Amino acid sequence: MNISIITIGKLKEKYLKQGIAEYTKRLSAYAKVEEIELPDEKAPENLSENDMLIVKQKEGERILSKISPDTYVIALAIEGSMKTSERLAADLDKLATYGKSKVAFVIGGSLGLSQDVMKRADEALSFSKMTFPHQLMKLILLEQIYRAFRINRNEPYHK
């Protein structure tokens, strides 16, 4: 399986980089993982609603330019459906079984994802009703993908 993690914004924190590197290394035994970091749109703190839409649209265009037509897209969004780790594992297994070998997880910037990205997504996934920094979300996501592969192979880790 080829997994892309598409994110807006550059990862700066050393401790997050280390964690992400660790889970990317662990995942390499199960799948080819590609991390795609795209620049965030520079914007002042107090944006109007219209300015926010413009920022999300520009970031969305960058995201969509990295997704091929044959890719199954999972957008991380607070309004998405929540799953257990076992459900995520089963869903990834099902995608692989039915020939969806390219999967992209998309994490938006601080304002979220554009409507165009949400329309392109095959599903929206939420990890919580809480909001997390997108850099931390990348680490959590990679850990859950790794956990899913371990579950699917009946390997110890997930208990």
Side-chain angles (χ1 to χ4, degrees):
M1 184 171 261
N2 295 300
I3 297 174
S4 298
I5 311 290
I6 303 171
T7 57
I8 292 292
K10 192 104 175 107
L11 190 59
K12 297 172 188 83
E13 293 82 359
K14 186 178 178 184
Y15 70 97
L16 289 175
K17 284 183 179 181
Q18 290 171 329
I20 287 166
E22 177 62 27
Y23 281 106
T24 301
K25 184 177 92 176
R26 290 183 187 190
L27 264 169
S28 67
Y30 305 100
K32 181 177 179 277
V33 178
E34 177 185 24
E35 294 178 57
I36 302 169
E37 282 186 354
L38 301 169
D40 54 350
E41 194 64 27
K42 302 298 175 224
E45 283 293 315
N46 49 357
L47 291 174
S48 69
E49 284 292 319
N50 192 48
D51 289 340
M52 284 187 210
L53 285 174
I54 292 168
V55 167
K56 287 199 301 189
Q57 185 176 1
K58 287 179 180 179
E59 290 175 347
E61 288 168 4
R62 288 186 197 121
I63 290 167
L64 292 171
S65 74
K66 300 296 180 185
I67 299 172
S68 63
D70 60 340
T71 299
Y72 188 89
V73 178
I74 301 172
L76 273 63
I78 202 163
E79 66 273 11
S81 63
M82 286 195 259
K83 300 178 182 194
T84 63
S85 297
E86 292 79 10
R87 179 81 245 164
L88 178 63
D91 289 351
L92 288 176
D93 193 48
K94 192 184 303 178
L95 286 171
T97 301
Y98 292 103
K100 294 284 185 184
S101 62
K102 287 185 185 177
V103 178
F105 290 88
V106 180
I107 302 172
S110 58
L111 298 176
L113 293 166
S114 71
Q115 284 299 345
D116 289 339
V117 172
M118 294 306 292
K119 283 181 195 156
R120 171 60 181 89
D122 295 287
E123 68 176 280
L125 176 64
S126 174
F127 277 71
S128 172
K129 293 293 180 200
M130 291 185 242
T131 302
F132 295 104
H134 53 279
Q135 298 95 337
L136 179 59
M137 199 61 239
K138 185 175 181 181
L139 174 60
I140 295 169
L141 172 63
L142 283 164
E143 188 279 334
Q144 284 297 303
I145 295 168
Y146 173 70
R147 182 180 297 267
F149 278 102
R150 300 288 292 193
I151 290 169
N152 287 337
R153 301 241 176 126
N154 292 315
E155 296 173 352
Y157 173 74
H158 65 283
K159 300 274 186 212

